């Protein structure tokens, strides 16, 4: 929500807020999550990850590049354990972005590729950034979702043309007021 005199909220603001909200927990009955796990099977949000790094403590699964906080599963575990130096506010839950991977794949430990099994244990100590029905977010589902997303009407949401258009337009519209 925007306040009087504040600039209108953008897609990027809303997405960052949604990720932060995912980490909220009741300290009277729960332990703080180690991370927010953000699976993105279609890598639909990948264009926004670089922009979100300025707002959130975010690590990404991929080829090792400490400058962009990207690396393999073992490195991510070390980052979260604090054995790899990382300047981040200690009171903010980090986000682990997993492009090309679904929640279901990560949860099926026996079937999970050996290179990702290191992350499987995090499933039990973290929270997933998913829809309430536990489906992974897609770009179109985030745009359309009234309760957790932006609540924007999208015509032909199941069309591959719509999905492709949303992916092509995501970076230019990320900073536009909603």
């Amino acid at each position: 929500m925007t306040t009087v005199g504040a600039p209108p909220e953008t897609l990027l603001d809303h997405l960052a807020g949604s990720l932060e909200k995912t980490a909220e927990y009741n300290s009277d009955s729960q332990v703080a999550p180690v991370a927010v796990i953000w699976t993105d099977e279609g890598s639909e949000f990948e264009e926004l990850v670089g922009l979100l790094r300025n707002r959130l403590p975010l690590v990404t699964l991929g080829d090792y590049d400490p400058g962009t906080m990207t690396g393999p599963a073992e490195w991510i575990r070390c980052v979260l354990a604090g054995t790899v130096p990382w300047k981040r506010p200690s009171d903010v839950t980090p986000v682990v972005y997993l492009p090309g991977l679904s929640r279901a794949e990560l949860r099926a430990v026996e079937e999970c590729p050996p290179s990702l099994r290191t992350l499987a244990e995090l499933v039990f100590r973290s929270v997933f950034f998913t829809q309430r029905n536990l489906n992974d977010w897609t770009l179109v589902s985030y745009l359309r979702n009234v309760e957790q997303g932006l609540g924007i009407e999208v015509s032909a949401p199941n069309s591959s043309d719509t999905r492709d258009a949303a992916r092509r337009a995501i970076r230019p519209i990320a900073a536009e007021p909603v």
Side-chain angles (χ1 to χ4, degrees):
M1 298 288 163
T2 56
T3 57
V4 177
E9 188 174 65
T10 66
L11 168 90
L12 202 59
D13 294 334
H14 198 277
L15 183 58
S18 294
L19 286 159
E20 290 172 336
K21 187 174 175 106
T22 299
E24 292 177 358
Y25 68 100
N26 181 343
S27 62
D28 292 333
S29 62
Q30 297 171 313
V31 175
V34 171
V36 171
I37 299 175
W38 181 9
T39 51
D40 183 13
E41 186 175 20
S43 302
E44 295 184 22
F45 292 90
E46 203 162 23
E47 285 284 319
L48 300 181
V49 170
L51 301 172
L52 287 169
R53 279 189 211 292
N54 299 330
R55 300 167 181 240
L56 301 168
L58 197 141
V59 295
T60 302
L61 179 67
D63 294 332
Y64 180 67
D65 180 0
T68 61
M69 293 305 290
T70 302
E74 296 82 4
W75 179 82
I76 289 173
R77 285 286 304 272
C78 291
V79 168
L80 295 177
T83 59
V84 170
W86 184 25
K87 292 181 182 174
R88 71 170 179 89
S90 60
D91 62 336
V92 179
T93 305
V95 175
V96 177
Y97 177 67
L98 304 173
L101 190 63
S102 73
R103 178 181 179 273
E105 287 176 286
L106 191 59
R107 290 187 56 89
V109 179
E110 299 82 26
E111 299 166 19
C112 194
S115 62
L116 298 176
R117 287 188 186 147
T118 305
L119 294 178
E121 180 270 338
L122 287 176
V123 167
F124 303 102
R125 299 188 305 131
S126 301
V127 292
F128 277 94
F129 177 56
T130 61
Q131 299 178 59
R132 284 212 172 95
N133 63 9
L134 301 181
N135 287 335
D136 290 338
W137 285 110
T138 64
L139 188 51
V140 171
S141 67
Y142 189 79
L143 293 173
R144 293 184 68 218
N145 190 290
V146 175
E147 296 171 353
Q148 296 170 272
L150 294 174
I152 297 173
E153 185 176 333
V154 177
S155 61
N158 297 323
S159 159
S160 62
D161 290 340
T162 300
R163 289 190 302 271
D164 291 344
R167 287 180 78 165
R168 284 191 309 274
I170 193 61
R171 192 165 183 115
I173 66 170
E176 292 294 320
V178 175

